[in-house]
Each structure stands twice: as C-alpha cells, then as structure tokens.
Amino acid sequence: MVEKIIAACDGASKGNPGPAAWAWVIGRADGAIDRWEAGPLGRATNNVAELTALERLLETLDPAAPVEVRMDSQYAMKAVTTWLPGWRRKGWKTSSGSPVANKDLVVRIDALLTGRDVDFVYVPAHQVDGDPLNDAADRAASHTARTQEPTGSAAGAPLPPPEAPTRASAPRARSSAPSGSAGASAGGASGGSGGGAGARRTRPSGGTLKARFSGRCRCGKAYDKGETIAKNPDGWGHPTCV
C-alpha cells in the first residue's frame, strides 16, 4: 500500500497584482518538512499564484500516491473541486455568462487531478500554532515574491524566516455576491468532485460572504472580488482573521 503524502502549497502577490511567486512543501511521517520548492512568477495576481502553486505541487508528486493537500486559499480549492464541473458545462462561463478567470491554469490542474486520490484540506493562514506545512509554504512564497529568485531544499536553501507582522485596514466591501467573477460562480456549479477526477474532497468552512470588491485584510494579504470574507474589527477580510 502506497503511503499517503501530506503536502501544502501557497502563493503570494505583493500588490495583487504585483511581484508574485508559488511554493510547495512536502512533509515527513513525523510531521517535519521533507522538501520544498518556490519559484517566481513576475507580475501576477494572488489567485494565479495560488493555482500555480497547486499545479507545481501536483506535477512533483507521484500520481499513484494518495495525497492530502493543505491550502489557505478557498478560491483555489473551490475552483478545482466545487466550481469546475459547472464551468465546464457552461462552456467555461460563470453563472453570469462571463469568461472564467484563470481558465488555462484550472484546466491544467483538472488534468493533473484526473484519476488521483486527492484530499484538499483548508487550513487558516497566519495563525499562532497554525499548520506548520502551510506556514512554511507561505513563508517560501512570500520570500520568493520579493526576491523573484527560485529557491528550495534541492539547492540546499534554508526555509525563509517568518515575515514581520503587518496590519492594514481593508476598504469597505458590501456583502452580496458579485456577478461575473471566477470566485462567485459556485451557485452555477455542482459541488463535490467532477471531470473524471479520482477523489477531490474538501473540508469547507461556513458563515461567510462574498466580496463585491477587492480589498486588503487586516493580516496584510489582499483578497479579490468574489473571495469569501467576513467582518472584523478593522473592516473586512479573511474569515480566519476575524
């Protein structure tokens, strides 16, 4: 029996869009980090970076091995599990008829997932005593977004240290679902796995709303129009940062 792989991936964009990068981390059986890699993307959005991180991770892993992928991006997870079947049925259009954002990336990831046993797990970002693999991927992606230099354990590089915490007030956002955004088409897509994939399981979180406008969370990371947000003392932002 092939042992299950535990991995995490993350993307970062300094400006959204701005200097961006992707990163993945693979853990060992004892919970320690086995190997990791990060690469630059030039100027890109956070969503592109998150999807690219997942694509690069799946390209690295053995397709025959079951894997648990930990991510802090609900957009990237739902794009390739919940929303994708509906997008395909509608000719790669959202429920409002707009073209699906980042379609090429989503299609490539769909092909990489086909026939594989993948369990997607949402883990909150920037938490004290949070998931160590996700934290490592976040640090690697943020560092590489700034330097725009590829790095990783294969080159003998140490994991970047945690960034100094930042605090930014988010602009006000109304809490109704947008029309035409990639992240807003969940209502037009069927849930669960689809597209011939093996197993694409997610553990969703609830009690949230969809952003009508892009903004920046109190944790310093931006969120896009259509992303899941919640009210916090400083405005609007990631549900995990309330």
Side-chain angles (χ1 to χ4, degrees):
M1 181 176 178
V2 181
E3 185 177 352
K4 188 173 188 177
I5 296 171
I6 307 298
C9 59
D10 201 6
S13 175
K14 304 302 182 180
N16 199 30
W22 54 268
W24 54 255
V25 174
I26 297 173
R28 294 200 299 255
D30 61 1
I33 293 170
D34 180 50
R35 52 197 170 108
W36 64 279
E37 186 177 357
L41 287 171
R43 182 178 173 84
T45 66
N46 190 63
N47 285 345
V48 166
E50 298 277 8
L51 288 170
T52 302
L54 176 57
E55 178 191 25
R56 299 300 174 88
L57 173 63
L58 293 172
E59 288 174 340
T60 299
L61 297 175
D62 179 0
V67 59
E68 178 182 297
V69 178
R70 300 175 183 177
M71 305 179 70
D72 61 28
S73 171
Q74 295 193 54
Y75 161 77
M77 279 187 9
K78 291 181 178 178
V80 299
T81 58
T82 304
W83 301 329
L84 189 147
W87 287 343
R88 187 189 292 110
R89 287 196 306 271
K90 293 178 174 65
W92 296 101
K93 303 286 186 181
T94 67
S95 56
S96 66
S98 301
V100 169
N102 308 316
K103 172 192 168 184
D104 291 345
L105 270 169
V106 174
V107 169
R108 291 199 297 271
I109 293 169
D110 184 35
L112 287 167
L113 286 169
T114 299
R116 296 168 76 156
D117 184 2
V118 180
D119 185 7
F120 288 95
V121 178
Y122 173 75
V123 292
H126 311 296
Q127 301 294 300
V128 176
D129 297 326
D131 181 78
L133 296 185
N134 176 257
D135 176 68
D138 177 80
R139 285 153 48 193
S142 291
H143 174 80
T144 304
R146 291 195 310 271
T147 65
Q148 289 296 294
E149 294 289 341
T151 185
S153 55
L159 271 166
E163 291 187 334
T166 58
R167 187 180 182 87
S169 294
R172 294 187 179 183
R174 291 173 226 167
S175 57
S176 60
S179 61
S181 73
S185 54
S190 62
S193 62
R200 305 184 192 181
R201 298 174 294 276
T202 62
R203 303 176 198 172
S205 61
T208 54
L209 301 169
K210 298 290 185 180
R212 287 191 63 188
F213 309 98
S214 61
R216 189 168 295 277
C217 178
R218 65 193 300 192
C219 70
K221 269 194 172 183
Y223 60 83
D224 285 344
K225 176 182 176 182
E227 274 197 56
T228 302
I229 59 172
K231 184 76 171 176
N232 65 57
D234 298 322
W236 294 88
H238 306 120
T240 56
C241 298
V242 172

